[in-house]
Every structure is written in structure tokens, then in C-alpha cells.
């Protein structure tokens, strides 16, 4: 199966930067192959922004990050749900996802692992599965939140794809204190996943729904 055959892709990110962290290299590869990629971020985490930054800084940063990956500005959808409280509005999120399904009609959806223990990530994964159960769905890897993760799918990547991912993550100036956003970590994980399949680099995904 060639992932570049997908033409319309929707990335679901509970918080700004989750999509890039979990699937940035794959997003770069898909866009390179001509896919139309949409990115939906559900929270700009204003309550968690470090001191010294504007409260809405993550809204600016996700615009810059997704643009660096090659996502069209008009394909970025930003919601303003409160961080760590997405489970309180899960029905509203589901209804929004159904509207996205009708408007975008993706043939591939990338969302957090169903085994992600963060409450916001879990909510988006579960409601995403409900909304897109008739589409191919892959769960992306955020290892600091995954107690278990089934590496049932790998996307082969080149160094240029990982570099583009790192460049996108550098747009998140307010988040550079986090270990998992460092270039060293991103390349190390991509290298480790690549070694598993005899490739230079790779990103791993859980197969949640696969439709041929």
C-alpha cells in the first residue's frame, strides 16, 4: 500500500503541534506527492502558554508551522476549546467533525492513538473514529503519552521530510522547552522507526481502520 495514493487527508490535532509531532514527516511526504492536506487543531492551550508570551501565541505558531510543512492557509481549521477539557464538549466536537467530513470528504484521517492517555488526545481519537469510521484512519505516535502503541504501519521517509518536520516544530517558539520538540529527539525517533523496517527514516502509526 502506497500512502501517497491518498488525495485528501485530514489531520486531527487535539492541541496545536500534536499533528506535526506525530505525523510531520508523513504530512510533508503526502504534500510532496500532491495530496490536499487539511489540519484541524482543537485547542490553542491559552491556559498553558509560558509566561512572557501572548496568550494567543499558539494560534500564530500553528499557522507558521503548518505553512512550513506546505499546508495551505485556507486548509487550517483552528477551534478554541479549553485545554484539558475537550471531554466536556465531546458531542460538540463530534458534530464539528461530521461537518468536516461532509465538507472535506477525506480518504485518509490521521489522529492520535486510541491508546493515548492524555484526556484531550483520547477525546479527539474517540470522536474522530466515530465521525470517520468509513474512512481509512491511522493513529499517530506521541510516545510520551502512549503506554502501549501498536506499530502496525510504517511510512518510509527521507531526511528532507524529517528536516521539514523539524523546521515546522521550530515555529513553536513558546514550546521549545519541551524535550520532545527537540531536533535531536525527532531525528532519533525517526531513525529508530526506520531501523525497524530497513529504511533511513520512518514514522509509525496504528492501523485503526484500513479501507482498500
Amino acid at each position: 500500500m502506497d500512502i501517497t495514493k491518498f488525495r485528501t487527508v485530514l489531520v486531527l490535532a487535539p492541541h496545536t503541534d500534536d499533528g506535526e509531532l506525530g505525523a510531520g514527516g508523513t504530512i510533508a511526504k503526502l504534500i510532496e506527492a500532491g495530496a490536499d492536506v487539511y489540519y484541524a487543531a482543537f485547542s490553542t492551550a491559552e491556559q498553558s502558554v509560558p509566561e512572557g508570551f501572548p496568550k494567543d501565541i499558539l494560534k500564530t505558531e500553528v499557522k507558521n508551522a503548518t505553512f512550513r510543512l506546505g499546508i495551505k492557509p485556507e486548509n487550517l481549521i483552528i477551534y478554541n476549546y479549553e485545554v484539558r477539557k475537550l471531554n466536556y464538549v465531546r458531542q460538540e466536537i463530534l458534530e464539528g467533525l461530521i461537518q468536516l467530513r461532509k465538507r472535506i470528504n477525506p480518504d485518509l484521517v490521521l489522529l492520535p492513538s486510541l491508546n493515548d492517555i492524555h484526556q484531550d488526545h483520547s477525546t479527539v481519537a474517540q470522536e474522530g473514529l466515530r465521525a470517520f469510521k468509513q474512512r481509512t484512519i491511522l493513529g499517530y505516535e506521541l510516545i510520551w503519552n502512549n503506554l502501549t502503541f501498536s506499530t502496525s504501519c510504517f511510512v518510509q521517509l527521507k531526511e528532507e521530510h524529517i528536516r521539514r518536520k523539524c523546521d515546522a516544530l521550530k515555529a513553536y517558539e513558546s514550546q521549545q522547552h519541551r524535550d520532545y520538540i527537540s531536533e535531536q529527539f525527532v531525528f532519533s525517533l525517526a531513525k529508530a522507526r526506520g531501523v525497524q523496517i530497513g529504511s533511513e527514516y520512518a514514522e509509525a502509526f496504528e492501523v485503526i481502520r484500513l479501507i482498500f
Side-chain angles (χ1 to χ4, degrees), residues 16-17 44 48-54 56-59 61 169-178 181:
T16 52
D17 79 14
T44 56
S48 301
V49 171
E51 289 187 18
F53 292 94
D56 64 348
I57 185 63
L58 283 162
K59 185 175 290 186
E61 290 175 344
L169 290 170
K170 287 175 183 176
Y172 290 101
E173 296 181 10
S174 68
Q175 304 299 305
Q176 293 303 308
H177 60 287
R178 301 188 184 278
I181 213 166

Side-chain angles (χ1 to χ4, degrees), residues 56-72:
D56 64 348
I57 185 63
L58 283 162
K59 185 175 290 186
T60 300
E61 290 175 344
V62 72
K63 290 177 181 177
N64 292 335
T66 52
F67 182 77
R68 291 183 185 188
L69 276 180
I71 296 173
K72 301 171 187 174

Side-chain angles (χ1 to χ4, degrees), residues 120-180:
D120 288 348
H121 297 194
S122 176
T123 297
V124 170
Q126 291 169 5
E127 300 310 322
L129 175 57
R130 289 187 176 95
F132 297 101
K133 61 186 178 183
Q134 295 177 337
R135 305 291 188 277
T136 291
I137 305 173
L138 298 179
Y140 54 73
E141 180 179 31
L142 300 172
I143 64 171
W144 49 97
N145 286 328
N146 300 150
L147 294 184
T148 61
F149 185 82
S150 174
T151 54
S152 47
C153 172
F154 291 84
V155 177
Q156 291 182 306
L157 299 171
K158 298 178 181 177
E159 181 178 347
E160 63 199 66
H161 301 134
I162 306 303
R163 292 213 173 276
R164 182 162 289 187
K165 175 177 181 173
C166 289
D167 186 50
L169 290 170
K170 287 175 183 176
Y172 290 101
E173 296 181 10
S174 68
Q175 304 299 305
Q176 293 303 308
H177 60 287
R178 301 188 184 278
D179 293 341
Y180 52 72

Side-chain angles (χ1 to χ4, degrees), residues 8-210:
T8 306
V9 180
L10 175 60
V11 182
L12 302 183
H15 314 112
T16 52
D17 79 14
D18 286 330
E20 296 93 319
L21 284 164
T26 299
I27 293 169
K29 180 173 182 172
L30 286 163
I31 291 172
E32 180 183 75
D36 198 16
V37 177
Y38 292 80
Y39 188 111
F42 290 86
S43 176
T44 56
E46 292 187 3
Q47 294 79 7
S48 301
V49 171
E51 289 187 18
F53 292 94
K55 286 298 182 184
D56 64 348
I57 185 63
L58 283 162
K59 185 175 290 186
T60 300
E61 290 175 344
V62 72
K63 290 177 181 177
N64 292 335
T66 52
F67 182 77
R68 291 183 185 188
L69 276 180
I71 296 173
K72 301 171 187 174
E74 62 268 26
N75 287 6
L76 174 63
I77 304 106
I78 304 174
Y79 299 96
N80 198 33
Y81 294 111
E82 188 174 349
V83 65
R84 292 185 295 277
K85 293 186 177 180
L86 297 191
N87 55 320
Y88 296 173
V89 288
R90 60 189 319 133
Q91 182 60 33
E92 187 176 334
I93 288 172
L94 175 59
E95 291 170 3
L97 290 170
I98 291 171
Q99 290 303 312
L100 285 179
R101 185 188 70 204
K102 292 177 180 177
R103 179 165 69 89
I104 298 171
N105 191 29
D107 50 1
L108 172 64
V109 178
L110 304 178
L111 46 69
S113 164
L114 291 174
N115 293 308
D116 195 308
I117 63 171
H118 191 292
Q119 62 269 46
D120 288 348
H121 297 194
S122 176
T123 297
V124 170
Q126 291 169 5
E127 300 310 322
L129 175 57
R130 289 187 176 95
F132 297 101
K133 61 186 178 183
Q134 295 177 337
R135 305 291 188 277
T136 291
I137 305 173
L138 298 179
Y140 54 73
E141 180 179 31
L142 300 172
I143 64 171
W144 49 97
N145 286 328
N146 300 150
L147 294 184
T148 61
F149 185 82
S150 174
T151 54
S152 47
C153 172
F154 291 84
V155 177
Q156 291 182 306
L157 299 171
K158 298 178 181 177
E159 181 178 347
E160 63 199 66
H161 301 134
I162 306 303
R163 292 213 173 276
R164 182 162 289 187
K165 175 177 181 173
C166 289
D167 186 50
L169 290 170
K170 287 175 183 176
Y172 290 101
E173 296 181 10
S174 68
Q175 304 299 305
Q176 293 303 308
H177 60 287
R178 301 188 184 278
D179 293 341
Y180 52 72
I181 213 166
S182 73
E183 184 169 318
Q184 181 182 12
F185 170 77
V186 171
F187 264 96
S188 295
L189 181 58
K191 187 66 174 178
R193 292 310 186 201
V195 166
Q196 287 183 272
I197 58 169
S199 176
E200 185 177 13
Y201 298 103
E203 284 176 337
F205 296 86
E206 287 181 348
V207 177
I208 298 173
R209 180 77 94 188
L210 183 59

